[in-house]
Amino acid sequence: MFHFIYSQLIRLALPFILIRLWWQGRKAPALRRDWQHRLGVVPEMSGPVIWVHAVSVGETIAAGPLVRRLLAKELGATILMTAMTDTGLAQARKMFGDKVAYAYAPYDTPGAIRRFLRRVNPGILVILETEIWPNMIRQCRRRRVPVFLINARLSERSAQGYEKVKGLAAPVMKSISWVAAQAEPDAERFRRIGVATDRVEVTGSVKFDVDIPDDVRKASEGIRKTLEGRKVWIAGSTHSGEDEQLLSAHQSILEQHDDALLIIVPRHPERFDTVAAMAEAKGYRVARRSLSENPRQAQVYLGDTMGELMTLYGASDIAFVGGSLIERGGHNPLEPAAWGIPVFSGPHVFNFETIYDRLIADQGVQMVEGCQDLAQAVSRLMSDAQDCKAYGERALAVVNNNRGALDKVVEGIIERV
């Protein structure tokens, strides 16, 4: 009954969801491209298919090393990557080109999921983190398609939410073939909401297995050369409500380091122009990466291209990870940490609780309360090259000391295929 009601509600909401998609597509035309995928109408595929689903950019980046490892195994299967967002698919295409297939994930109506599964006929579904859609998972089970939840995390708040709708959640959880949890608390919560005990395993976070491809390293070196030794800090994956704070922090930093450069990378492309205008209104000299403008004389360099955040982290001396000065829950701090540079974050990091716990325990991240706190901390490290290097080394050490989850996940997938 709960599942029936859920499906009917999704069906009723679908016209409004499509209207919203069309409306958002005014500013982001990529959202309208291949819109029929969202109804399950995708190109038909033949042969074995491994379906890897990542909701957006962060999960797509986390899936990168896993997909590269599966490609290296030469399993004789096509890897299909899906995402819910245009930015997620753009990131995937930038990482893999024509090595894998791409599609938007279908909306979770029974009809859309059935159409998608008939056309793709996957042999396995690998879901990154906790993207749990009832129809997607239950219909996969009916078609005997194993569903693996990889790099899975579940907060106490989310677990309590699932417990409130146990009639809907429990059958879905019983349909999951394997949960590779980031930590024991996550694993225990999955068991609590209905996943069979023998199907839950703690593998650690695959995000610690971040890799930096050679072409990304080369591109970062090229940017550094154009900056001629300037002190550079980056604010990655920023959100509305943070940009003004970060631009204010940069003004304070410039008072002590007049050659400092802020690279700011908004999380969503529809905000690129807004942030550029905001920086110019504050009197900054702004260069935009999308226009190939040289940042040498700029005070703010806007990273307004897709899929280059990792490259821009590598061109920086110090990193702030966005989504954390507001109650968004933060983004992945391991991307800048893998470059061996100091990492700063605001207080709101509940989306990456386990990762931050490990970074904080080993002094691999510095937490700040607001823009002035951030400005003071960044200025201090810019004045102390030795301390700056030490913080970066600690961040990298946390990454290296926690690698290995990816091997467990790949082995688990191959064993269960």
Side-chain angles (χ1 to χ4, degrees):
M1 178 60 70
F2 281 102
H3 186 261
F4 174 78
I5 293 171
Y6 165 80
S7 295
Q8 293 304 109
L9 289 173
I10 290 291
R11 284 181 172 127
L12 289 171
L14 185 59
F16 301 100
I17 294 171
L18 291 173
I19 290 170
R20 182 172 179 268
L21 180 71
W22 176 84
W23 185 259
Q24 290 176 326
R26 294 175 309 136
K27 293 184 177 180
L31 285 171
R32 296 180 181 177
R33 199 171 301 129
D34 295 325
W35 65 270
Q36 66 272 22
H37 291 185
R38 302 176 187 273
L39 300 179
V41 183
V42 295
E44 293 188 2
M45 302 182 70
S46 59
V49 175
I50 297 174
W51 176 11
V52 179
H53 176 59
V55 60
S56 191
V57 175
E59 294 79 11
T60 300
I61 292 171
L66 169 64
V67 172
R68 278 188 276 272
R69 194 73 62 86
L70 291 173
L71 288 170
K73 293 288 183 182
E74 298 183 351
L75 300 174
T78 299
I79 295 177
L80 169 65
M81 294 195 72
T82 64
M84 299 299 294
T85 66
D86 59 319
T87 52
L89 280 191
Q91 179 67 51
R93 287 191 175 98
K94 188 171 185 65
M95 291 193 299
F96 296 109
D98 59 1
K99 295 178 182 177
V100 305
Y102 308 94
Y104 283 111
Y107 290 135
D108 201 43
T109 65
I113 297 295
R114 279 196 298 269
R115 283 188 289 272
F116 186 91
L117 291 175
R118 278 200 305 268
R119 286 167 168 77
V120 172
N121 193 27
I124 180 176
L125 167 58
V126 178
I127 301 175
L128 267 291
E129 300 197 4
T130 317
E131 188 75 357
I132 297 174
W133 294 101
N135 282 313
M136 179 187 290
I137 292 173
R138 293 191 73 181
Q139 289 199 37
C140 279
R141 183 182 183 184
R142 287 175 185 168
R143 294 177 66 97
R144 297 184 179 179
V145 177
V147 178
F148 299 165
L149 211 59
I150 300 303
N151 210 44
R153 57 185 172 88
L154 189 67
S155 68
E156 181 59 30
R157 183 193 304 178
S158 296
Q160 291 175 1
Y162 282 116
E163 287 178 320
K164 290 177 182 177
V165 290
K166 208 161 189 176
L168 174 63
V172 176
M173 298 304 162
K174 290 176 182 176
S175 298
I176 296 174
S177 307
W178 184 45
V179 174
Q182 292 188 20
E184 183 55 42
D186 299 300
E188 181 53 39
R189 291 171 192 139
F190 277 107
R191 298 184 193 107
R192 204 173 87 203
I193 63 174
V195 182
T197 299
D198 62 347
R199 295 184 178 183
V200 181
E201 182 179 351
V202 178
T203 59
S205 174
V206 300
K207 290 190 174 181
F208 283 104
D209 290 280
V210 60
D211 59 1
I212 305 175
D214 291 341
D215 60 331
V216 172
R217 291 187 183 276
K218 186 175 180 180
S220 295
E221 290 171 6
I223 297 171
R224 287 297 307 184
K225 286 179 182 177
T226 68
L227 298 176
E228 298 180 337
R230 292 178 65 185
K231 295 179 175 67
V232 181
W233 72 291
I234 182 172
S237 295
T238 65
H239 289 257
S240 178
E242 289 185 309
D243 302 296
E244 280 201 359
Q245 295 185 64
L246 294 163
L247 291 168
S248 295
H250 189 49
Q251 186 60 57
S252 298
I253 291 168
L254 286 171
E255 291 173 5
Q256 298 184 52
H257 304 278
D258 58 8
D259 67 337
L261 174 68
L262 166 62
I263 301 176
I264 190 165
V265 187
R267 180 71 172 182
H268 299 114
E270 60 267 25
R271 297 187 56 253
F272 289 160
D273 290 342
T274 301
V275 175
M278 189 184 300
E280 288 169 350
K282 287 182 174 292
Y284 289 115
R285 297 190 301 274
V286 178
R288 300 183 64 155
R289 184 153 179 82
S290 65
L291 301 178
S292 300
E293 294 175 341
N294 195 318
R296 188 175 301 163
Q297 301 301 320
Q299 295 168 308
V300 173
Y301 188 33
L302 182 65
D304 56 348
T305 54
M306 292 304 302
E308 289 198 306
L309 179 56
M310 198 67 177
T311 298
L312 295 172
Y313 275 138
S316 307
D317 301 304
I318 298 168
F320 170 81
V321 180
S324 59
L325 286 176
I326 57 172
E327 292 188 22
R328 172 61 177 75
H331 292 290
N332 185 7
L334 299 178
E335 293 168 15
W339 282 103
I341 61 176
V343 180
F344 287 90
S345 174
H348 305 290
V349 295
F350 52 82
N351 284 336
F352 292 84
E353 182 180 6
T354 299
I355 289 172
Y356 270 97
D357 284 347
R358 294 181 187 176
L359 283 166
I360 291 170
D362 291 337
Q363 296 183 298
V365 66
Q366 299 176 71
M367 311 299 288
V368 296
E369 292 299 322
C371 63
Q372 289 309 309
D373 191 12
L374 175 63
Q376 291 171 10
V378 170
S379 292
R380 183 178 58 79
L381 285 189
M382 284 184 173
S383 300
D384 190 336
Q386 187 173 348
D387 204 18
C388 187
K389 181 181 178 182
Y391 266 107
E393 288 174 348
R394 285 197 293 270
L396 179 58
V398 175
V399 175
N400 290 335
N401 292 340
N402 287 277
R403 291 183 184 274
L406 183 60
D407 291 331
K408 296 177 185 177
V409 166
V410 172
E411 289 170 8
I413 290 173
I414 293 173
E415 284 174 7
R416 291 166 172 82
V417 171

